């Protein structure tokens, strides 16, 4: 997927969505990637909002948020299917002290100024990369690790895009 010289996802194919065996601990980790405050659902909803706020005034930025949102939706789907295969109910929730807490739009900050909007998105991508790297280092299921590593490659591309947009517009 390419637009305005930007590529929004890594070229490598996504690994097969499968797991070695059911594992409740890993299921909770994947659930957090779906519905924690630092999650794909948060990214999707924030980028939807950002795309509208950037609007026609910053059309290139608006289009970038829209395209990245589509990639994040794919990640959301992958993590949802992995969570389900691991034994979790793939709702928009994460577990805190073994209790499910539903995702909320209140997880997001909603800046309206261009600088804050881009920097907030950049921070979110960097936090996602740290989270997924930490998971990939601790999880012992090669299928989960392969999916995490592939998704990290997309998130790195998103960091580069937001850094470029910051340099161009701020």
């Amino acid at each position: 997927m390419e637009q305005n010289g930007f590529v929004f996802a890594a070229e490598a194919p996504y690994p097969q969505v499968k797991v070695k065996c059911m594992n409740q601990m890993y299921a909770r980790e994947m659930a957090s990637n779906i519905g924690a405050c630092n999650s794909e659902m948060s990214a999707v909803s924030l980028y939807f909002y950002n795309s509208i706020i950037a609007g026609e005034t910053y059309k290139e930025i608006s289009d970038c948020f829209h395209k990245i949102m589509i990639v994040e939706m794919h990640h959301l789907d992958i993590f949802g299917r992995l969570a389900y295969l691991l034994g979790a109910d793939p709702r928009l929730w994460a577990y805190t002290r073994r209790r499910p807490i539903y995702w909320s739009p209140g997880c997001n900050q909603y800046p309206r100024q261009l600088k804050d909007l881009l920097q907030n998105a950049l921070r979110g991508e960097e936090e996602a990369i740290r989270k997924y790297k930490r998971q990939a280092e601790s999880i012992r299921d090669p299928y989960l690790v392969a999916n995490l590593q592939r998704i990290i490659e997309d998130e790195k591309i998103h960091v580069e895009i937001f850094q470029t947009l910051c340099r161009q517009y701020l």
Side-chain angles (χ1 to χ4, degrees), residues 29 73 108 120-121 131:
E29 288 291 325
M73 289 171 74
N108 286 338
N120 183 51
K131 178 180 182 179

Side-chain angles (χ1 to χ4, degrees), residues 8-162:
F8 298 93
E11 288 185 24
Y14 290 92
Q16 186 176 1
V17 175
K18 65 189 249 184
V19 299
K20 199 161 112 178
C21 62
M22 293 178 88
N23 181 310
Q24 285 301 309
M25 185 174 70
Y26 296 166
R28 284 190 294 277
E29 288 291 325
M30 294 306 106
S32 82
N33 296 345
I34 298 168
C37 282
N38 177 5
S39 71
E40 297 297 328
M41 187 62 215
S42 291
V44 168
S45 63
L46 182 64
Y47 298 166
F48 164 76
Y49 175 83
N50 289 354
S51 176
I52 292 169
I53 295 302
E56 292 301 315
T57 305
Y58 298 103
K59 180 91 172 97
E60 179 183 35
I61 293 173
S62 177
D63 291 346
C64 284
F65 275 118
H66 181 80
K67 295 289 187 185
I68 294 171
M69 176 187 68
I70 292 168
V71 175
E72 302 295 3
M73 289 171 74
H74 186 71
H75 298 167
L76 181 65
D77 179 67
I78 290 168
F79 286 133
R81 290 189 290 138
L82 289 170
Y84 184 71
L85 291 171
L86 289 162
D89 186 349
R91 298 182 191 193
L92 296 178
W93 61 14
Y95 291 87
T96 303
R97 296 186 198 106
R98 297 186 185 231
R99 294 186 47 161
I101 306 294
Y102 278 97
W103 178 83
S104 165
C107 286
N108 286 338
Q109 295 178 23
Y110 297 96
R112 295 181 55 91
Q113 300 300 316
L114 186 63
K115 178 180 179 181
D116 297 332
L117 190 132
L118 288 170
Q119 290 177 341
N120 183 51
L122 177 58
R123 273 191 308 276
E125 294 290 338
E126 291 169 338
E127 288 171 12
I129 291 168
R130 282 192 293 276
K131 178 180 182 179
Y132 300 157
K133 280 184 176 180
R134 188 181 69 250
Q135 289 174 342
E137 290 170 3
S138 66
I139 289 174
R140 298 294 171 241
D141 182 322
Y143 304 113
L144 289 177
V145 171
N147 275 283
L148 285 163
Q149 289 173 336
R150 173 58 184 79
I151 289 170
I152 288 168
E153 293 309 308
D154 288 345
E155 306 298 9
K156 287 179 180 176
I157 288 170
H158 301 163
V159 165
E160 290 173 12
I161 290 169
F162 291 136

